[in-house]
């Protein structure tokens, strides 16, 4: 196990999942997705950790997160990236996550309320992109915003079953897609919604 992976696991274990939840706090210790309102969930903790490790983050990376949700994944990204740009479609979740993360003194996160499937082109390109909701297809907008040499983790498929892809963009812009596992996420809202 690399030192980086050990650091991510240690930080992940230090995060109190309850502090990212307004309801169902008594179930925070369960390794399952839980509702956070507006038809959205806080992801299964083991999957949050797995996706973060799969990103292969480095301290200098600029990371784009699609689907801020509760802010749980965002906090983990912020600890291991130079800058995090996070986009949330649902205004109430965007506002509560921003307040929560700012209260935890994360200073390297920028927030946007909008259609995450379109990315955040003003700050592109990104070294890493993570999508925490299921797209019906891989958004071209996100591929375009991924740096050469960058990596994106994204679930793609039907509402009931998706493949979790790692997509690596070579220096000359070629894409290599690897299926990591079968997952089930809530649908990505916006242009690439089912």
């Amino acid at each position: 196990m690399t030192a980086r992976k050990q650091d991510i696991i240690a930080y992940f274990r230090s995060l109190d999942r309850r502090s990212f939840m307004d309801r169902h706090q008594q179930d925070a210790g369960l390794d399952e997705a839980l509702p956070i309102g507006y038809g959205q969930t806080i992801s299964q903790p083991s999957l949050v950790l797995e996706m973060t490790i799969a990103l292969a983050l480095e301290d200098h990376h600029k990371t784009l997160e699609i689907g801020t949700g509760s802010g749980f994944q965002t906090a983990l990204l912020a600890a291991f990236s130079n800058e995090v740009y996070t986009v949330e479609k649902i205004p109430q979740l965007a506002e509560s996550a921003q307040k929560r993360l700012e209260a935890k003194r994360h200073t390297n996160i920028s927030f946007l309320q909008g259609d995450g499937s379109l990315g955040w082109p003003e700050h592109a390109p990104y070294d890493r992109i993570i999508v925490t909701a299921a797209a019906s297809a891989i958004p071209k907008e996100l591929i375009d915003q991924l740096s050469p040499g960058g990596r994106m983790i994204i679930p793609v498929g039907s509402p009931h079953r998706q493949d979790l892809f790692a997509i690596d963009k070579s220096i000359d812009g070629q894409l290599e897609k690897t299926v990591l596992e079968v997952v089930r996420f809530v649908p990505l809202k916006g242009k690439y919604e089912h």
Side-chain angles (χ1 to χ4, degrees):
M1 186 185 303
T2 65
R4 184 66 162 182
K5 185 175 176 181
Q6 288 176 327
D7 289 346
I8 291 171
I9 291 170
Y11 184 77
F12 171 80
R13 288 179 177 156
S14 78
L15 280 177
D16 182 0
R17 192 177 183 219
R18 288 172 303 174
S19 70
F20 293 89
M21 301 165 66
D22 296 323
R23 57 183 86 176
H24 303 286
Q25 290 184 335
Q26 72 279 7
D27 297 324
L30 300 175
D31 190 30
E32 58 187 59
L34 295 168
I36 56 170
Y38 312 99
Q40 303 303 297
T41 60
I42 184 170
S43 295
Q44 178 182 344
S46 60
L47 190 54
V48 170
L49 178 61
E50 180 184 337
M51 289 173 69
T52 305
I53 290 169
L55 270 179
L57 290 168
E58 296 181 17
D59 289 337
H60 65 274
H61 281 160
K62 183 197 296 188
T63 301
L64 175 64
E65 178 189 39
I66 304 304
T68 315
S70 68
F72 182 61
Q73 174 80 73
T74 321
L76 195 54
L77 298 172
F80 296 96
S81 304
N82 183 42
E83 301 171 87
V84 175
Y85 293 84
T86 186
V87 186
E88 173 56 53
K89 176 79 170 166
I90 298 168
Q92 297 90 333
L93 291 180
E95 184 180 342
S96 61
Q98 183 169 350
K99 285 179 181 173
R100 192 176 283 134
L101 290 160
E102 288 177 348
K104 292 179 182 297
R105 307 217 187 298
H106 289 288
T107 57
N108 62 337
I109 305 171
S110 299
F111 300 88
L112 177 67
Q113 189 269 310
D115 183 352
S117 65
L118 305 178
W120 196 343
E122 292 82 356
H123 299 286
Y126 301 96
D127 303 297
R128 297 291 184 265
I129 299 175
I130 185 168
V131 183
T132 63
S136 58
I138 298 167
K140 180 183 183 302
E141 292 86 347
L142 298 184
I143 292 293
D144 291 346
Q145 292 173 41
L146 185 63
S147 294
R151 169 172 271 210
M152 175 164 59
I153 304 293
I154 180 171
V156 180
S158 73
H160 305 292
R161 179 191 183 280
Q162 304 103 33
D163 289 323
L164 183 64
F165 281 95
I167 301 172
D168 293 292
K169 185 188 263 191
S170 69
I171 298 301
D172 62 358
Q174 297 298 308
L175 300 179
E176 181 180 339
K177 301 172 187 173
T178 306
V179 176
L180 302 178
E181 67 176 287
V182 174
V183 292
R184 187 173 176 186
F185 279 83
V186 295
L188 179 65
K189 301 287 187 187
K191 182 177 176 181
Y192 290 85
E193 194 169 349
H194 292 279

